[in-house]
Each structure stands twice: as structure tokens, then as C-alpha cells.
Amino acid sequence: MEMDESQRGLPFQLQFDKPLASQTVLAEWNPEKDLLAMVTEDSKLLLHRFNWQRLWTISPGRCITSLCWRPDGKAIAVGLEDGTVSLHDVENGKLLRSLKSHNVAVVCLNWEEDGQQIRDDIGSMSTYEDRTSRFFPPAPRVPRIQGLVSGDAGFMDDSEDSFQDLSSSSQQRFNILCSGDKDGIICFSIFGSFPIGKINIHECSVPSSDTRAECRLQNASIYKVALSKDLCRLVVMCSGELVNNRDGSVNYKIAEHGIHGLHCLTLDTSIFWKRKNELHQVAQQASNIEELTEVIRASLSIMSKQWSDAMHTFHEKFDSISDLIVSHGLDSSSQEEFLSLLGGARTSPPIQQFLVNSLGEVGVKRVSKVVCGAGKELQHIVLNHLQPAAEIIGFRIGELRGFSRWRARYQSIGLDETLISNAAEKVGMIIVQVEWFLRLLSSVVQQFSNFFNWLLKCIRILMQEPSDQLLPYNSELVVIFLKFLYDQDPVKQLLEASNADQIIDIDLETMQRVKELSHFGGFSDCDYLRRTLAKQFHQMESSFKEAFLMPFTSISRKILCVDLLPLAPLPPSSVSLNIPTSISYYEDSSQAVSYQQTCRGSFVDFISFQIPEESFSNIANCIAIVRGFTHDSSSLKKGYTSLEALLLHIPDGYYCVDISLYKESQIVLLLNDTTTSSESSGDACMMIVQAADLPFASISTPTCVDFWKLHELKDNIIYLEMEGEKVRSIPHSVIAPLAVSSSRGVACVFAARKRALVYILEEDEDEVSETE
């Protein structure tokens, strides 16, 4: 629906006005393509092209609470109400990976990549080469077995291409996914798949020159997080109470203006920039190790189920022999009766009845097909999935072991040589265990096959039919089978997790030889053959978690709160208050610094938010814009401006629905008519304000003692006029969110009556091109 050109202001071109089946609560444009991701009120995730063609729809089964794109636009992160962050492929929406980093709803996500290519210590361009492909074929995927689920670890077994793209991080720019939950926990993960840090904003002490003035937040609720493009600073916008850090009492200055307020925290995350080369390499190896660990877990689970089903079929047929023996009044076991038949003695009535009447030749062939088929399938899984995965893990953990010995570079990020060496030993043990299991499985399947061949010959003889065409059998192997395999299951013993604590019996001579070989190879573990394969896998997995927890813990300790900016007081009842907010960073080319100097100061932060009506008695219907909050004292010495702010008064008759910062520090405001009722069609407008041209005023940095500062600007409020700005009228009342694409110059506005309106923000509409 096109708008009349005679309407007031500059009419941005309306491309589409589309009805919606369900109201939209979240929306984000893809940073690289003309694609819009939307979350509906019934928690469905939809992806549309710019021409409004729907590409796919997924429903995670849980409430979606946050959304953001990977910087290259190839994956989208979805935060859920149960604390899970799931990653989905842009091409088809398939689940790539999910991380359970939180215990409560993930309320905000931010995914940022390093603005510079990775460089070495002398400043030359550098890329990390993953050497695994030199020595190994492509990594195995989770086995695909019809009707079986690979597990609950968050991997999909039918998205090989997408899954491979997610794990191939050696060619990606270094990036960090930040996620914040409603309890004030912020988690960080490299490439969205490797957890690398966590911080609780309630435990952040806000530094002050006066130690008595040090304070911290309590009862905080996160609104938004934004990582700077150089990865050195994280701005957290939240509400909460400031209390004295020493005794927990409320600061007396705070109490004068209201103890509960809207605040911004700055967290020092420069460790990501300083150690991005090392973190990139560790994350590359560790992420792939975790993926391959899932391949092993899924392989063991599938193998256990398949073998268990086969053995169920076997015992379902052969356990009836015991009932026949008892019914004929005999006091013997099934094995004894079979051994008697093998020895040439007279066939007992129960055995003849079982072989001829109950089982028959068809029954033997069917059971043989099930058992031997399961054995072959297990061998296939071991050779094509389990064993290659274990071997590649061994190589990758060896790479990490080499990194850990370079203490000058890797010890500072928590890569512990002792823990990595222990993990490498556990991998070596499971590689040996897999080889041993493969030989055991081959022997068991051979003996089952030989036993079934013998039974077929016996049935033919009992039925006085020719048996010349049958396969031969080995009598000695039949005896071994009846004594050791008929009522025992060594394969199940090794595979099932329920038998993980069971000790495998090994003769003394073998154990002595194992000890000699272990000591000769430099390993301390000599009892691995006594453990089941499931137990060995559990130990390997535990060693990985312990080794990878050290970088997580070390990086978490280096993420510190360095500044706090009190924005506005809030009433205590505003915990769930919906405040339009926006945080963005823009590169300050006039103050650019070299790579060798520092990572700080080359980007300017813009923090925008609507000042709640209850905050200040002399400030109403205003938008506050603060810039330069993350510039520290070292930046000021280099010529950067101090903390600056301004207040924008919304035109009379309108109120702000949402805010979004657009490219080149432009601000897009979505405004509703104050006279609009829920029943009427309403009136609204979209306005673009050039923030760089506005007269920012310097303000002193607030402290916990000298608190709210924005009210100092009450005499310098800038009044926006509908005629003096870029404005587009919208013939509907609108709701949040406002989705703006900085790279494509388009905005999507959602009307209260379930409509989506897509506008081109650029005056030159040729700048927007449709995705092919």
C-alpha cells in the first residue's frame, strides 16, 4: 500500500504492507543479506526475504526470548526461556548446536566479530591453519540410523553441510556470542559454540577512588548487552539497586533520588582482543573435540540399542528351551542339552521338539540374520564413526598439548599442561579400547554365526533332509560359544552405561603385559582394560570438561567491571518495565589508532533510551543519548572527548515505542500518537535523527556518591519538530520491535493490528537490492 506523496515530511518508500497471522515480538535483519527473522507471540521463528517470501518456519517448543544473527549472516542465535541458546542454519533453519549456558530465560543476545583480521606478534596478517585435514579424511558425523535419536546434546544428524560450516571456524573472523539472562548472568562463547567466560553483574564491584564509595548492583535485571567491535568493552544496560559494597547498605546519596534505577555497566573484555590468536586456536580444537565427542556418545548409544534389540530377539527364541526341559522332567541346562547333541548322544525330547517344532530352519535363519546383521552394523559404526572420531580427537588433543607447553602464550588463558596431558592419555586409552572392542565383536559375531550353522545342520539331520549344501561349522567354537557366550553378553557389558562401573576380569599375564606397555609408552593408567568402553568414554569426557573449564575460569576472572553510569531513577515497581533502548558502536576514523598501540578508543559508543516518566519531575517525554561512555582515562589523554549526552524531546502528541541506531550514528525513532486507542486504527510515524549533528553537552562522569547526572541537561533539551526531520507517517498504531538494517537501509515496522510494513530508509532506493 503506497502512501500519498503529499504527506508531510520526507516520505521514505513503502515497499510492502503485509498482514500477519500472529503478532511479532522480536525481529532482526540479517547483517549480510536481505533476510528478516521474526519471532511470533506463539514462539515460532520465521525467516522472510525482502520481497516477503517466507523461506522457513521453525518452532523450538519453548518460548523464544531473544534473537541475534552471527556477524557473517550464516547462522542465527535463539535464546529460550529455559536458558538454552540454540544456533540455526540460515539456509533451512536446522539446529546446528545448542548450549545450556543459563538456568533461566536468556533475555538478550549480542554476537560481535573482531573488526580486524588476526595478526601475529609483529602485526602481519595471520590466519590459523587447522592441520587436521592434512592427516585425516573429513571428520565423521553422527550415525544416521532410521528411527533412532542421536542424543540430547543439541546436535542434528541430518545437517552435515551446515554442521561442517559451523565447526569450520579456522577461516572465520574471531567472534564472541554474549548472552544475558534475567538473573544477571552474562555468558560468552567463541564462535557461539565454545563457552569461554561468565560474569554475574551482582558480583561486580564498581571501582571508585574513594573505597567507601565502592558499590555494586543488587536485584538487577538486564535489558541489553553490546560488545564493542574491537571486543574490548561490553556495555550492559540494566535496572537495579546500588548498594554499598562493604556492608550492603544503600548509599545515602542514592536514597535522596531513589535507590532503584536504570544503569549502564562497562565490562573490560580486552582479554578477547589481547589473546584472540590463542583463543581462536584453542576454541577451534576444543569445539571440534566436543563435536567428535558427541559422535562417540551417539555411536555408543546406537550400538548399545541395536545390540540389545538383537540379543532380545535371540533370547526370546532360545529361552523357551528351559521351559521344555522342565516340562519333560529333566534336570539339566540348555547348554548341557546342546553339548549332548554336539557329542553325538541321543537327542533329548525337549531339544528335538525345540529345534524341529519351535525354532525350525526358518527361525534359525531369521535369528541369525538379526544377530549377525547387528554385529555387522556395529562394526560399520565403529569403523566409520567411532574409531575415526577417537583418532581425530587424539590428534586435536595432541595439538592442544603442544599449545599448553608454550606457557608464555597459553598459560594466561588457562590452558593447563597437566590437565591436557591427562585428557590426551584418556583419549589414548579409548583408542586402545575401541580396537579391543572391535576384535571382541568380530569374535562374538563369528561364534554366533558358527553356532547357527551347526543348528541348521542339526535340524536338517533331525528332519532327515540333505545337509550337504549348508555352510561348515567348527565344533570347538560351538563348545566355546555354549560355555561362554550362550548366557553371557560381553558386547553388552562393554557398551551399556548401566554397566559402566563393572570391572572386567583380565588374567594376570595380560595385565602384566599391559602394565609394561603402558609404562613403556609413558602412560600412568594401567587398568584401562578392566574398564568398560562406556566407563572409559565417561572418563575421557570428564577429562575434557576439566581441561576446558580452566580457560573458562581463567577468562571469567579477567572480565571485570570498570565503570558504571547511573542513567535514571526508576520506581521499585518497574522491574518488568519495557523501556525502549539501543546500544551501538561506530568507528571514530578521526581518532583511529594503530594495531600495535591499543584496542581501546577507536570506536564510539552511542547509548539511547527513553527516560521513564517517573524518573525526573522536570523531564518528560524525552529520549536520552549518551556517547563516549566506554572511553577511559587513557583514551582522554589521546584526545578523545569526555562523556557527552543530550536530551531529545519527542514531538507533542507522540510517545516513543522503540529506538534503533542506524548507520553513521543516525537514530531511528518509532513514535505513536498519544490519542490512539486500542480499538482505533491509530496514527504513528517513523523519524530519523542525525545524532552526529546534535549539540552534545559534556557531563561529568557520575559516581556512586555523586549520582544522577542527566537531569543537569534539563535546560538544554532539544525539541524535535515533525517538519524539521526525516519523517514518515504511518496510518496504523505501531508496536515494538522496530527492525532496522544498517547495511541494507531498510526498516520493518509492525502495526498493532498484525501488519508488517517494510520501508526503504535510503533516499536512493537503488542502494537496496533484493537477495537472489
Side-chain angles (χ1 to χ4, degrees), residues 710-761:
L710 290 180
H711 70 281
E712 296 177 358
L713 302 174
K714 63 181 182 298
D715 297 327
N716 298 305
I717 297 177
I718 300 170
Y719 289 83
L720 297 176
E721 299 293 339
M722 301 299 288
E723 293 76 14
E725 307 294 341
K726 295 180 179 180
V727 180
R728 175 59 189 257
S729 293
I730 302 172
H732 305 277
S733 62
V734 294
I735 61 171
L738 167 65
V740 176
S741 171
S742 297
S743 61
R744 299 290 167 174
V746 295
C748 185
V749 176
F750 297 96
R753 291 197 165 188
K754 297 183 181 179
R755 302 195 70 84
L757 298 88
V758 178
Y759 292 91
I760 294 179
L761 299 180

Side-chain angles (χ1 to χ4, degrees), residues 77-375:
V78 178
L80 303 176
E81 63 177 348
D82 65 349
T84 300
V85 177
S86 60
L87 309 183
H88 296 265
D89 180 28
V90 66
E91 297 295 333
N92 46 33
K94 289 186 180 295
L95 179 67
L96 301 174
R97 181 77 185 266
S98 64
L99 292 175
K100 188 70 165 62
S101 302
H102 302 268
N103 296 320
V104 293
V106 180
V107 296
C108 56
L109 291 167
N110 177 241
W111 207 336
E112 195 62 59
E113 70 178 1
D114 179 30
Q116 298 172 326
Q117 293 284 356
I118 292 180
R119 300 171 182 262
D120 58 24
D121 291 337
I122 61 174
S124 301
M125 297 301 297
S126 174
T127 57
Y128 170 58
E129 179 190 6
D130 184 2
R131 304 190 304 161
T132 311
S133 59
R134 292 187 185 183
F135 308 102
F136 295 92
R141 302 265 67 86
V142 171
R144 301 179 182 180
I145 304 299
Q146 185 69 26
L148 293 181
V149 179
S150 60
D152 58 354
F155 290 87
M156 294 293 289
D157 61 355
D158 57 352
S159 54
E160 180 170 342
D161 295 336
S162 302
F163 189 61
Q164 190 172 8
D165 174 73
L166 178 72
S167 61
S168 299
S169 51
S170 59
Q171 302 304 318
Q172 289 185 42
R173 283 191 176 186
F174 184 71
N175 60 67
I176 301 289
L177 175 62
C178 309
S179 56
D181 66 32
K182 68 176 185 179
D183 282 351
I185 304 295
I186 301 173
C187 295
F188 304 85
S189 60
I190 301 176
F191 306 121
S193 59
F194 180 63
I196 196 58
K198 180 172 74 172
I199 189 169
N200 187 343
I201 63 173
H202 295 101
E203 299 173 357
C204 294
S205 296
V206 182
S208 173
S209 57
D210 183 0
T211 56
R212 294 174 299 174
E214 288 186 0
C215 51
R216 59 181 173 84
L217 282 170
Q218 70 178 17
N219 301 322
S221 177
I222 297 177
Y223 282 89
K224 197 177 291 289
V225 296
L227 190 64
S228 62
K229 297 182 184 298
D230 54 13
L231 310 182
C232 291
R233 289 288 190 269
L234 180 77
V235 173
V236 182
M237 186 174 287
C238 60
S239 63
E241 299 177 24
L242 279 178
V243 298
N244 188 281
N245 196 35
R246 287 191 167 189
D247 56 14
S249 61
V250 178
N251 190 288
Y252 74 95
K253 285 286 184 182
I254 300 174
E256 293 179 5
H257 300 280
I259 61 175
H260 187 76
L262 183 66
H263 313 281
C264 262
L265 294 175
T266 297
L267 304 182
D268 181 358
T269 58
S270 58
I271 184 65
F272 296 137
W273 181 86
K274 294 174 182 176
R275 293 296 179 184
K276 62 182 176 182
N277 284 22
E278 294 83 355
L279 290 171
H280 188 138
Q281 295 167 6
V282 171
Q284 168 72 16
Q285 299 294 351
S287 296
N288 279 275
I289 286 173
E290 291 183 352
E291 293 163 9
L292 292 167
T293 300
E294 170 61 20
V295 173
I296 295 179
R297 178 189 294 107
S299 298
L300 291 174
S301 175
I302 292 173
M303 290 164 60
S304 177
K305 186 179 189 310
Q306 284 203 313
W307 188 254
S308 177
D309 290 346
M311 289 298 97
H312 176 75
T313 300
F314 174 79
H315 290 293
E316 188 179 36
K317 282 291 184 182
F318 282 81
D319 286 353
S320 62
I321 301 178
S322 300
D323 296 333
L324 291 174
I325 293 174
V326 172
S327 64
H328 283 80
L330 300 178
D331 185 17
S332 58
S333 65
S334 302
Q335 295 96 312
E336 290 173 344
E337 292 295 331
F338 277 126
L339 287 172
S340 177
L341 177 62
L342 179 65
R346 183 177 63 85
T347 306
S348 63
I351 287 293
Q352 183 166 351
Q353 181 180 348
F354 171 74
L355 293 178
V356 175
N357 300 329
S358 300
L359 186 61
E361 186 175 346
V362 174
V364 172
K365 290 181 178 180
R366 189 177 72 84
V367 176
S368 176
K369 181 179 179 180
V370 171
V371 174
C372 296

Side-chain angles (χ1 to χ4, degrees), residues 1-7 11-12 14 728-731 759:
M1 183 176 65
E2 293 295 329
M3 300 296 295
D4 188 351
E5 293 294 331
S6 63
Q7 286 183 300
F12 307 120
L14 174 63
R728 175 59 189 257
S729 293
I730 302 172
Y759 292 91

